[in-house]
Amino acid sequence: MRKIIITILSILLIALSIIGGMAIANGNKKGKPTFNKIVSTVYTNTIENKAIPVIITASGSLTAKNKIELFSEVQGVLKQTSKNFKAGTQFVKNETIIAINSDEFYANLKAQKSNLFNAITAIMPDIQLDYPNEYLKWKSYLNNFDINKTTPKLPETNSEKEKFFISGRGIITSYYNVKNLEVKLDKYTLRAPFNGILTEAMVTQGSLVRAGQKLGEFIDPSVYEMEVNINESSANLLKKGTKVTIYNLNKTNSWEATVVRINGKIDQATQTVKTYLQVKGNQLREGMYLTADLESKSIENAIEISRKLLVDDTKLFTVKDSTLNLVSVNPVYFNDNTVIIQGLEDGTTILSKPLPGAYNGMLVKTINETNNK
C-alpha cells in the first residue's frame, strides 16, 4: 500500500509540474502589437513649368558720378567767402568755394603788365617810321590797354619784318609772361564746376595753404554710380542699358538703376567683372551700401522653389495618391533662398513646405495651396 501511495503522489506531482509549466509558458506569450496609422497633413502645390528669370544679386556702395578732389596749385592764406568752407555746405555752379589771398601776386602781375605797356610804348616811334601802315593798330592797342583788366591779344603782324622786329624787342615774350601770370591768378579762386555739396573740408579760413595741398572734396549729389562684381559666366548676359532694381539693406526703399558700363577685364583674383550702375533718387547718399538684383537670362521649362525642399540637393518629394515619392530633379541655378529646377512635368504635385521626418512611401493628407490662392 505504501508503495502504491508513493507512486500515485509522484504521478500527481509530475502532472502538476507539467500543468504549471504550461501555464507559465502560455502566460509569457505576448500578442502582436497594434499601431494606429498616423497620417500627416502636408501643404502642396501643383506645378506649372514656365520661363524663370535668373536674378543675380550683388552688393556695392554708391559713389557720386561727378566728384572732384580740391587741391591748391598756389600758396597763400585762405580768405573768408560768402559761405563757410565746411562739410555739408552747398554751392551752385560758378560760385566761389575757396578764395586764397593773392594781393602780393596781383601786384607782381600789375608790374609785368606795366613792363609790357612800356615796352610797346618804347617801340612806337620806330613803328611809325619803319612801318607807318602798322602804326594805327599798335596805337589802338595801347589806347585799349587797361592794367586792371585782362591783357588783350597782341595785334597780328602783316609782314615777316614786322614780326621779327616785334619779337626782337621782347614784346612777344613779355606778353606771354603776363598771360601766364593771369592764368595763375585765376587759381587763387576755386569755383564750383557744377551744383553740388562739400563732403570733406581739410582747411579753415585764415589757415596757410601750400601748393599741392588737398583742401577737400566736392560732389554732385543728384547722380550716383554703384560698382558691383558679377561672376564671369553671368556677366556675358548683361548689356549696357539694362534696368536694375537696387534696394537698401532693410529693403525698405528701392530705386531703378541702369547698367552704364561693363569692364572688359576680368579680375584674376576673384574671376569677376566690374559692372557699373547709374541711379538717381531721393534719400541716396555717398557711400551708401546697397544691393542690386540683375536679371541676366531666363531658364525655360523650370520652376522656382525653396532650397529647404531639396533632399541631398538633387531630390524632391512629390505627392501621388496620398503617398510621398522621392524623385530626382535637375537643379539649374541656386539663389540665396530659392533654387530653379527642371525635370518635373506640368501638373505634378510637390510639397510647398518641408515635412520633418518625411520618407519615401509615407502616407499624407494634402492641402493644396495652389487651389486655395
Side-chain angles (χ1 to χ4, degrees):
M1 271 310 280
R2 185 178 179 182
K3 290 181 178 179
I4 295 172
I5 293 172
I6 292 172
T7 302
I8 293 172
L9 290 174
S10 299
I11 294 171
L12 290 174
L13 184 59
I14 293 169
L16 289 172
S17 299
I18 294 172
I19 294 171
M22 293 177 64
I24 292 173
N26 291 332
N28 290 333
K29 290 183 179 180
K30 296 181 179 179
K32 293 182 178 180
T34 58
F35 297 96
N36 294 324
K37 292 184 178 180
I38 299 176
V39 180
S40 299
T41 301
V42 295
Y43 291 91
T44 62
N45 275 334
T46 301
I47 70 164
E48 180 181 353
N49 288 297
K50 56 184 178 181
I52 305 295
V54 174
I55 305 298
I56 302 172
T57 301
S59 300
S61 57
L62 290 181
T63 303
K65 181 180 180 181
N66 297 320
K67 175 180 178 180
I68 59 172
E69 292 183 332
L70 304 176
F71 285 87
S72 175
E73 297 184 67
V74 296
Q75 179 172 311
V77 177
L78 201 65
K79 294 169 56 177
Q80 179 72 38
T81 58
S82 59
K83 293 183 178 179
N84 291 328
F85 186 74
K86 293 184 178 180
T89 305
Q90 294 183 344
F91 296 90
V92 297
K93 186 176 181 179
N94 293 326
E95 187 177 5
T96 299
I97 301 178
I98 284 180
I100 299 174
N101 190 298
S102 60
D103 292 345
E104 182 179 352
F105 185 86
Y106 186 58
N108 181 41
L109 173 60
K110 280 190 172 182
Q112 295 297 324
K113 284 186 177 182
S114 179
N115 290 336
L116 174 63
F117 183 84
N118 293 337
I120 297 176
T121 303
I123 65 171
M124 289 302 292
D126 293 331
I127 292 178
Q128 187 175 17
L129 291 175
D130 298 334
Y131 308 97
N133 295 332
E134 313 298 338
Y135 177 78
L136 290 179
K137 70 179 181 183
W138 286 100
K139 183 179 180 180
S140 175
Y141 181 82
L142 289 177
N143 291 335
N144 293 324
F145 194 98
D146 189 342
I147 199 170
N148 295 314
K149 295 181 181 180
T150 302
T151 304
K153 185 178 178 181
L154 290 176
E156 294 288 340
T157 55
N158 296 323
S159 66
E160 200 173 68
K161 288 184 178 181
E162 180 189 4
K163 179 179 179 181
F164 291 158
F165 174 75
I166 298 299
S167 178
R169 298 301 181 93
I171 303 298
I172 296 178
T173 300
S174 297
Y175 169 78
Y176 282 110
N177 285 337
V178 169
K179 296 303 291 185
N180 179 52
L181 293 178
E182 286 181 342
V183 171
K184 194 171 183 179
L185 179 64
D186 290 338
K187 296 179 180 180
Y188 279 83
T189 302
L190 293 180
R191 302 184 183 276
F194 44 77
N195 297 339
I197 185 171
L198 195 66
T199 58
E200 185 179 6
M202 306 181 70
V203 292
T204 57
Q205 276 81 7
S207 58
L208 176 63
V209 176
R210 293 177 174 84
Q213 180 179 348
K214 183 176 180 180
L215 306 177
E217 190 176 79
F218 187 72
I219 69 168
D220 177 2
S222 63
V223 184
Y224 292 94
E225 285 190 352
M226 176 179 171
E227 178 187 295
V228 294
N229 295 319
I230 305 300
N231 187 278
E232 180 272 335
S233 60
S234 301
N236 295 330
L237 304 171
L238 292 175
K239 295 181 179 179
K240 183 179 177 181
T242 302
K243 300 298 181 181
V244 178
T245 300
I246 62 175
Y247 46 86
N248 57 5
L249 295 179
N250 298 326
K251 295 188 176 182
T252 54
N253 289 318
S254 62
W255 301 267
E256 185 181 81
T258 305
V259 177
V260 291
R261 297 193 309 280
I262 300 175
N263 201 336
K265 180 181 179 181
I266 297 176
D267 190 316
Q268 294 184 356
T270 61
Q271 288 297 297
T272 57
V273 177
K274 294 186 183 298
T275 303
Y276 299 88
L277 314 176
Q278 182 174 300
V279 60
K280 299 180 181 179
N282 298 326
Q283 301 179 350
L284 294 175
R285 296 289 185 272
E286 170 93 358
M288 195 174 182
Y289 195 78
L290 300 174
T291 301
D293 286 339
L294 298 90
E295 182 176 332
S296 62
K297 64 177 180 179
S298 294
I299 299 176
E300 301 293 334
N301 298 320
I303 61 171
E304 186 173 13
I305 62 172
S306 171
R307 294 183 63 165
K308 296 179 180 179
L309 297 177
L310 283 184
V311 179
D312 297 331
D313 289 336
T314 58
K315 297 179 181 179
L316 179 70
F317 279 112
T318 63
V319 181
K320 185 176 182 181
D321 298 331
S322 299
T323 303
L324 293 184
N325 297 294
L326 190 61
V327 299
S328 296
V329 293
N330 177 29
V332 180
Y333 186 83
F334 286 90
N335 292 312
D336 290 339
N337 300 313
T338 62
V339 58
I340 299 175
I341 63 173
Q342 292 176 321
L344 295 177
E345 296 181 356
D346 288 342
T348 301
T349 301
I350 64 171
L351 295 183
S352 60
K353 296 180 181 179
L355 177 63
Y359 57 89
N360 193 29
M362 182 179 182
L363 294 176
V364 292
K365 180 182 178 182
T366 62
I367 300 177
N368 196 317
E369 291 187 324
T370 305
N371 296 332
N372 292 335
K373 291 181 180 180

